[in-house]
Amino acid sequence: MNNHPIKILLADDDEDDRLFFEDAIDALPLRTSLKMVENGKELMDYLLLSESPLPDVIFLDLNMPGKNGLDYLTEIRAHPKLQSISVAVYSTSSSEKDIEESFVRGANIYINKPNDFNDLKDVLKKVICTNWQYLNTSFNKESFLLSV
Amino acid sequence: MTQLRFPENLLKVSLTIAIFLLLGISSENYRQFRSYSESQKRIIKSHEIQTLLQKLLNAIIKTEASYKAIIVTNEKEIIEDYFEQKLNIQPQIEKIKLLTTDDYIVQAKIDTIQKVINQRINFLDQHIYLDSKRNQGIYKSALTSSAKLVEDVEDLIEEIIIEETLALNEKESLRDKKYRINPLLLLTTVLFSLFIFVIGFIALYYYLKKARKTLYTLKVNQMIYEQAEQISRSGHWHYRPGSNKITFSTNLFRLLGFEPYSFKPSLKKYLDIISVNDRPNFLSALKKLKSEGHTPAIDLTIITPDGKEKCLRFVARLLNDNNGNKLVVGANKDLTYEIETNKKLNRLNSDLKMRNNIFKYAESIAMVGSYSYDFEKKEFKFSDNLYKMLGFKPENFPPSESKFVEFIHIDDRADFIEKMGLENVMNNFHINRIRIIDNNGNVKYLSVNKKIFNEDNSKILIVAFKDITEEVLITKRLEEKNEELSKSNEELESFNHIASHDLQEPLRKIHTFISRIRDSDDLNASPLIVDYLSRIRIAANRMQKLVIDLLSFSRASKDSDNFEFSNLNKILKSALHELNSDIQEKQAIINYDELPSVTIISFQFQQLFVNLISNALKYSKHNIRPVIKISNEKLTFDELLKFPHYNETELVKITFEDNGIGFEQQYADVIFILFQRLHDRKKYSGTGIGLAICKKILHNHRGSIFAEGRPEVGSKFTIIFPKTPVNRSF
């Protein structure tokens, strides 16, 4: 842990989910700074246009209006400035196809939105505390889907 | 054949001349002979007359002498002598008269002589008895007149003799003259006749020689003719109108069924041989001979002596021979062979026609057409159906390659000409699909085959077309359907997505909110509220499970290409692994056989195994340890019958038998229906989707599943499926 708060960016169109996410992050005993956007376009605008520093980890919902989350994942991974940011897919979907596709397009981890608030806290804690730089070298498909 | 022309007229004329000449000569000779003998007679007569005249003169002189003697002597005895002499005169005159009856001049002179003599005699008779002396004067004058008389008679006789002699001489000189001419004439005539005969003989000789030659040629021709008649199965006859005599050629006898010349031919006999029905035909044909000079060719049935029927063609013609005589010549030809041949030919022909029709029919049924090209004849032929395929009536236009190319869609022409054209001598080309635009503007799809045949020195190109429009349209429709299907698949996908995301999301939120309420510190919840919250949670859970199960059901219906060769043992093991906690919880005993490796969609089979085993665990009896037996069994005969497309070795049968609560056999089919449950939900949890998914999975693998149940004893689920369900058309 260093002195800087972990910069977290959430892209989710669902207000409830953003509320749960914010509460869960707040409830974690970690120094974090959370920025939330409501869609993919806002996400890209924030990443590329704002003066703000780039986030350490992006939580990306797949099912958003307009462009699909996966498309933005591709964009991020294709952008030289953004490609090193850790991306956690954060979705209700448990479909094989979505998981597979996320993996292929370069997400670091896939999180099924949990049913229980406590579970959510646990998952987020796990994700945030992961040293992605280290994990990147050895991550594989089996450990891709994070379950609590 | 040598022309036999004899110089008949010439010979006739010469012969006639010769005969006339000879006749002339003969008659002339005869006449001359006759005239000669006559003149001979005349001469003799003339001499006789002269002798008689001489005698007469002598008699007169003797009478005169007697008379003179009387006068001189006057002796009476001499008178007797005178009378005797006088008697000689008259017969002489009579004789002369007789001889000269045709000579009136001599007669007249004789008459004169007679008169003179008679006068003298009268005178003498008167004076004979006178006395000479006394009647001197009388005697004197008598003597004088006597001398004158003798003189006169002498003169007259002389005259007659001279005349006779003259006439005789004249005649003789005439005759001599004739005799001088005759021999020359005779000789000339004889020579001429001889010449004619010689010429005639020579002509005749050559004619004979020629005739012999001609006769030989004629004989040869006759033989050839007979042979020709036999070969051509024909016979001839001829007859002279009026003569009633008919002549048959050798082969005509044979045609009529007789030995040659075995009977005397006659019109009646000929008519008798013709069948009764055809006789009127024959007779009416004969009648036309006179009016038209020939009969029409008619076919007659004849009955041969052995009772067989034969068909003869008959024709007759009225001819004029060289001599201007009329001659009827008839010909008969045996048509039996021709009719047989014709019949055979007709049969073959109709066979061929039939085959052709069948071919044409088959062509149109099979929607096949073709054209051929004969390299030798440089000739194209289109089959009837090709015309029809192009929207024309058969043979509507002269066939050619270029004409056909005109119908081909412009984009397909080059390919067609390159592969199918005459320039390309390579054999056996195939084009899957060309487009043509027919006469009515319809686009048709054809597949094309080309083949070149070399047969009997002739080279024939055949390009055959099959109308595949329907197939192409069907394929197109199928493609459209496929597209629709993939669209609806996509829709299904989105349903999956909905089920997996959108339907779950509110549920998840309900759960999360409940958990937040439950964990909320500042909530002083009454036990009632806690109970309600718990009930809400259970309902939401159930809803979530339903959604997840429906999702897997829809995934099971997905037409998947994921068939792969899989080891069922492995799949079973991972299914058991998945169910591990349940198995542990129920302390179930699971026995299983070695299972085969098969080509299947493995994740579906894992789901299948999980569903069947979890079913067995779920419906186990309370307080009795579940025993599940998984067996790989042989198919029974009845089961095999349900899979007519496979044999025994191609099928796999696996049974799942448990000792659970079982079910009434009447429900054996119902349990596989979606959302159908046999039991109270409180007692046995479940969505009623699991077995429906099993059924669907087996359906996807062209297999089947069925259940046997005995309440309180257990259930047995049997799955049968082919080892490789793909690549089989049904």
Side-chain angles (χ1 to χ4, degrees), chain A residues 14 16-17 19-20 23 61 63 90-98 113-118 120, chain B residues 493 496-497 500-502 504-505 507-513 515-516 518-519 541 544 548 551 555:
Chain A
D14 192 292
D16 289 341
D17 277 330
L19 179 66
F20 291 145
D23 285 354
D61 188 17
N63 200 27
Y90 179 62
S91 174
T92 319
S93 167
S94 55
S95 119
E96 293 273 344
K97 201 181 127 198
D98 284 343
K113 290 179 180 173
N115 274 352
D116 194 286
F117 186 68
N118 288 327
L120 176 61
Chain B
E493 282 285 286
N496 287 345
H497 196 79
S500 60
H501 185 270
D502 298 293
Q504 284 195 70
E505 205 167 69
L507 289 169
R508 181 177 48 77
K509 281 182 190 167
I510 291 167
H511 274 294
T512 313
F513 279 119
S515 71
R516 293 219 66 184
R518 195 187 56 210
D519 296 345
N541 268 339
Q544 201 161 24
I548 289 166
L551 183 64
R555 280 172 67 194

Side-chain angles (χ1 to χ4, degrees), chain A residues 75-90:
Chain A
E75 268 187 51
I76 288 166
R77 282 289 173 255
H79 202 289
K81 189 177 149 196
L82 311 174
Q83 59 186 310
S84 56
I85 303 174
S86 300
V87 177
V89 171
Y90 179 62

Side-chain angles (χ1 to χ4, degrees), chain A residues 49-85:
Chain A
L49 302 177
S50 78
E51 304 284 303
S52 339
L54 289 175
D56 295 306
V57 56
I58 300 170
F59 286 85
L60 181 64
D61 188 17
L62 288 184
N63 200 27
M64 285 189 295
K67 266 200 221 170
N68 189 302
L70 287 169
D71 297 329
Y72 292 110
L73 172 61
T74 310
E75 268 187 51
I76 288 166
R77 282 289 173 255
H79 202 289
K81 189 177 149 196
L82 311 174
Q83 59 186 310
S84 56
I85 303 174

Side-chain angles (χ1 to χ4, degrees), chain B residues 111-161:
Chain B
D111 282 346
T112 317
I113 289 170
Q114 175 131 38
K115 239 179 241 168
V116 171
I117 290 169
N118 283 348
Q119 270 174 7
R120 179 71 189 157
I121 295 282
N122 283 340
F123 176 78
L124 288 180
D125 284 349
Q126 281 168 12
H127 292 91
I128 205 117
Y129 296 114
L130 296 170
D131 194 338
S132 35
K133 289 177 179 158
R134 310 171 274 218
N135 297 324
Q136 226 118 42
I138 294 167
Y139 280 121
K140 208 183 172 182
S141 70
L143 280 175
T144 325
S145 62
S146 163
K148 201 187 172 278
L149 174 80
V150 172
E151 222 166 274
D152 284 351
V153 172
E154 253 180 356
D155 283 349
L156 274 172
I157 287 172
E158 193 91 349
E159 253 172 67
I160 290 170
I161 285 171

